[in-house]
Amino acid sequence: MTNLSELTTLHVGGPAQVIVRAKSEEELIAAVAAADEAGTNLLIIGGGSNLLVGDAGFNGTVIVVETTGNSYEIDACSGGMLQVAAGVNWDEFVAFTIEKNLANLESLSGIPGTVGGAPIQNIGAYGHEVSEVIARVRTYDREAKAIRTFTADQCEFGYRDSIFKRHSDRYVILDVTFHLRRGEFSLPIKYKELADALGVEIDAKVATEDLRKAVLALRERKGMLFGNTHQNWSAGSFFVNPFVSAEVALTLPANAPRWPQADGTIKTSAAWLMENAGVTKGEQINGAKISDNHVLALTNAGDATAEDIVQLARSARARVQEKFGITLIPEVRFVGIEL
Ligand SMILES: Cc1cc2nc3c(=O)[nH]c(=O)nc-3n(C[C@H](O)[C@H](O)[C@H](O)COP(=O)(O)OP(=O)(O)OC[C@H]3O[C@@H](n4cnc5c(N)ncnc54)[C@H](O)[C@@H]3O)c2cc1C
């Protein structure tokens, strides 16, 4: 029996009753429909890079999306439209677009997982989000038992959020269509650390290939790439950055990061709150460890259980709650275990 620890980047999680590897769209829809028909619990997995599965495993069918293939049209004026299967590896796709002289995905280099996983939490990094370039998302709607295509505005994208995340048991993502700009220059750089690494000012544009290299180097240093060392055995950032009211923001120390939002709320930094509430890099509960490189990443130091990871997350969350009165919300999806 396969343990879900073999299918998740945190490398924790007990067994699944049945595991199906869907290599084609037909296989994927057939496996989903069969499980739904039989009334079986269903868990869809892409790269397993945003999942915390409990030690008891999953009581039902796990479908691993391994569909491949893409079709694309590139036009000198309107740019590229690329329709990409959900199972394609995200970072291989980003590298492919840069090779084809297509821009706008370079900041999202090095994020683990699949193309199908990307719209779910509207992946983002270094000042950009995937929703900026998504034209359409094709899904299998388990309720209607039919294919349903969402245009970008129907996806209800928000910060680490989408309609697919909010209805995670309804839509199976089959493929995603991206609209990319033709060009060798990146989007304006919005992130100081990245601008500094490239020796340019904020808002500068550089060659997409150079930006990709700089992002991969920064991510490598923080253990934020897919990899086989224990520093990479994580689910990336464990908590999302909190949005607080202007009144709550006023209660934070003057040096706390504050990013005012259009709706009047203030976004602050989960990493800053953790560090200033006494959560330290390298601290450990059994096999669960705060990354040595990045306080927001909870890692598996080798023999962690899902329960260890949850205990460490609870401890970090409680310290932030006590010091700042802010409850951190996980970015990671929990299956069969609760925070
Ligand atoms: C080291 C590391 C760094 C990371 N850095 C970032 C980052 O910079 N920015 C960021 O936004 N995220 C980051 N992440 C989180 C993660 O990589 C992304 O959220 C990724 O898009 C998840 O894709 P996945 O295929 O692995 O999804 P999984 O983890 O397999 O699944 C996540 C959720 O999506 C659902 N799902 C997956 N595929 C489908 C599908 N085809 N149809 C329907 N539902 C599906 C699952 O059921 C689950 O609910 C990081 C993770 C790691 C491990």
Side-chain angles (χ1 to χ4, degrees), residues 38-39 45 73 82 133 166 211 312:
I45 293 194
E73 279 170 42
L82 299 92
V133 291
R166 272 176 272 121
L211 193 113
L312 187 58

Side-chain angles (χ1 to χ4, degrees), residues 53-71:
V53 182
D55 299 312
F58 186 71
N59 181 19
T61 298
V62 172
I63 300 179
V64 188
V65 181
E66 293 183 348
T67 55
T68 52
N70 67 36
S71 63

Side-chain angles (χ1 to χ4, degrees), residues 291-315:
S291 161
D292 291 325
N293 308 313
H294 190 353
V295 77
L296 252 188
L298 273 62
T299 65
N300 177 349
D303 59 355
T305 60
E307 200 47 50
D308 295 337
I309 304 276
V310 160
Q311 274 192 37
L312 187 58
R314 277 187 201 135
S315 156

Side-chain angles (χ1 to χ4, degrees), residues 44 46-50 112-114 120-121 123-124 171 173 219 234 236 333:
I44 309 285
S49 62
N50 211 22
T114 57
I120 308 248
Q121 71 151 1
I123 55 169
Y171 302 111
I173 295 185
R219 295 187 73 98
S234 80
R333 168 154 180 216

Side-chain angles (χ1 to χ4, degrees), residues 7 9-10 28 43-51 65 86-87 90 108 110-126 160 164 168 171-174 219 223-227 231-237 331 333 335:
L7 297 173
T9 54
L10 265 168
L28 175 56
L43 174 65
I44 309 285
I45 293 194
S49 62
N50 211 22
L51 275 177
V65 181
W90 172 257
L108 305 182
I111 300 181
T114 57
V115 165
I120 308 248
Q121 71 151 1
N122 181 19
I123 55 169
Y126 297 103
R160 298 296 173 275
F164 314 113
S168 60
Y171 302 111
V172 179
I173 295 185
L174 302 174
R219 295 187 73 98
M224 290 298 262
L225 291 173
F226 178 80
Q231 286 301 318
N232 306 90
W233 283 21
S234 80
S237 299
E331 178 178 312
R333 168 154 180 216
V335 176

Side-chain angles (χ1 to χ4, degrees), residues 1-16 19 45 48 53-55 57 233 300 304 306:
M1 196 178 266
T2 305
N3 274 339
L4 287 162
S5 55
E6 293 170 36
L7 297 173
T8 56
T9 54
L10 265 168
H11 296 263
V12 299
I19 295 185
I45 293 194
V53 182
D55 299 312
W233 283 21
N300 177 349

Side-chain angles (χ1 to χ4, degrees), residues 157-177:
F157 286 122
Y159 166 68
R160 298 296 173 275
D161 196 26
S162 72
I163 193 168
F164 314 113
K165 184 168 172 182
R166 272 176 272 121
H167 299 276
S168 60
D169 286 333
R170 176 160 181 189
Y171 302 111
V172 179
I173 295 185
L174 302 174
D175 62 52
V176 183
T177 303

